[in-house]
Amino acid sequence: RDCLLSRGLGDVYKRQILISEGNMKTLKITKSDMGKRLSRFLDLIPLPIQLDKTIPQAGKDIVYARKLLSIIGLDSSEGKTPINSGAPIIGAGGITITIANCPPGQGPGLHNHLATFETFTVLEGEFLISWNDDGSEELKLKQYDTISIPPGVCRSFTNVGKTEGLLQVIISGGVHDMNDISFTPEAKLEMDNIEADLSQKFEKIGFKFNAGL
């Protein structure tokens, strides 16, 4: 497709599009089929492990937003991760989308993504984004602000507002499975101070605590 831009009177642009290829094929999808690619916010539920009452809430808060609501998950050809368990939409070119619901003062600790970008957009409230192994750099995001953290950089987010906050989290650029995520050794120590060997419960489902080593 070639685009020709021509300037007319009053700086009004007229766009003429010349189609040099053949026809572009399209798909017709029924309302029922499109419904399989629909997410309703009020129907979203937290990850199963977040509902596990045998794990102290303080321990879960180290690695999760208080409620992590999965919207788009990987299909079977893209990988598998419990982070997107129960997502109503499966398969979207390798990206995953979740909404992190955090009460004031809460958010997961420093962690690294080996191969993926993590992009945050504030939907409600205010969030502090910290990065580097020691969290030495930080920025505050307000509603609709966005920041994209590249692979290999430790990051965390915390709701610093006075009300419940919602943060959209998009993972892209690689396979977002449990091999992609690692928390810091400090997170493991903090977790085991809450309950002896608590970190082992998370390691059994694939969590690692070696970021920065």
Side-chain angles (χ1 to χ4, degrees), residues 24-65:
M24 182 181 292
K25 293 184 178 180
T26 60
L27 298 174
K28 184 175 181 179
I29 297 180
T30 65
K31 189 174 184 179
S32 175
D33 286 339
M34 191 61 80
K36 299 173 183 177
R37 302 196 60 79
L38 172 67
S39 171
R40 299 284 191 189
F41 178 75
L42 294 180
D43 294 335
L44 298 176
I45 58 175
L47 300 181
I49 192 172
Q50 295 189 286
L51 303 176
D52 188 343
K53 297 186 181 301
T54 68
I55 299 177
Q57 185 63 58
K60 290 184 281 190
D61 280 350
I62 294 172
V63 295
Y64 294 122

Side-chain angles (χ1 to χ4, degrees), residues 47-84:
L47 300 181
I49 192 172
Q50 295 189 286
L51 303 176
D52 188 343
K53 297 186 181 301
T54 68
I55 299 177
Q57 185 63 58
K60 290 184 281 190
D61 280 350
I62 294 172
V63 295
Y64 294 122
R66 181 66 56 84
K67 293 180 183 178
L68 195 59
L69 308 172
S70 184
I71 296 174
I72 297 180
L74 302 174
D75 67 27
S76 58
S77 68
E78 296 170 331
K80 184 178 181 180
T81 171
I83 299 298
N84 287 110

Side-chain angles (χ1 to χ4, degrees), residues 10-212:
D11 291 331
V12 175
Y13 287 90
K14 296 180 180 179
R15 177 167 297 190
Q16 297 176 333
I17 300 177
L18 303 179
I19 301 177
S20 57
E21 300 90 7
N23 295 333
M24 182 181 292
K25 293 184 178 180
T26 60
L27 298 174
K28 184 175 181 179
I29 297 180
T30 65
K31 189 174 184 179
S32 175
D33 286 339
M34 191 61 80
K36 299 173 183 177
R37 302 196 60 79
L38 172 67
S39 171
R40 299 284 191 189
F41 178 75
L42 294 180
D43 294 335
L44 298 176
I45 58 175
L47 300 181
I49 192 172
Q50 295 189 286
L51 303 176
D52 188 343
K53 297 186 181 301
T54 68
I55 299 177
Q57 185 63 58
K60 290 184 281 190
D61 280 350
I62 294 172
V63 295
Y64 294 122
R66 181 66 56 84
K67 293 180 183 178
L68 195 59
L69 308 172
S70 184
I71 296 174
I72 297 180
L74 302 174
D75 67 27
S76 58
S77 68
E78 296 170 331
K80 184 178 181 180
T81 171
I83 299 298
N84 287 110
S85 175
I89 301 172
I90 300 298
I95 71 167
T96 63
I97 297 181
T98 57
I99 290 179
N101 185 322
C102 301
Q106 197 272 325
L110 287 165
H111 62 285
N112 177 44
H113 287 219
L114 179 66
T116 59
F117 291 81
E118 188 169 33
T119 301
F120 303 117
T121 300
V122 177
L123 303 181
E124 292 183 12
E126 295 184 5
F127 281 82
L128 184 71
I129 309 298
S130 302
W131 66 92
N132 290 334
D133 290 1
D134 57 357
S136 57
E137 301 288 349
E138 59 186 33
L139 284 172
K140 183 184 292 186
L141 301 187
K142 296 186 177 183
Q143 190 174 34
Y144 307 131
D145 290 345
T146 297
I147 189 170
S148 186
I149 310 296
V153 178
C154 279
R155 79 295 304 268
S156 68
F157 59 85
T158 305
N159 177 4
V160 293
K162 297 180 180 179
T163 59
E164 185 176 84
L166 295 178
L167 188 70
Q168 178 181 261
V169 183
I170 300 177
I171 307 293
S172 61
V175 177
H176 179 52
D177 57 17
M178 295 311 295
N179 293 321
D180 183 48
I181 308 171
S182 179
F183 283 79
T184 63
E186 288 76 15
K188 179 182 177 73
L189 291 174
E190 183 181 356
M191 191 173 286
D192 289 340
N193 283 333
I194 296 170
E195 179 182 296
D197 299 324
L198 178 58
S199 61
Q200 293 182 11
K201 293 184 179 181
F202 290 90
E203 289 172 334
K204 287 180 179 178
I205 62 171
F207 277 91
K208 299 188 295 295
F209 298 91
N210 59 0

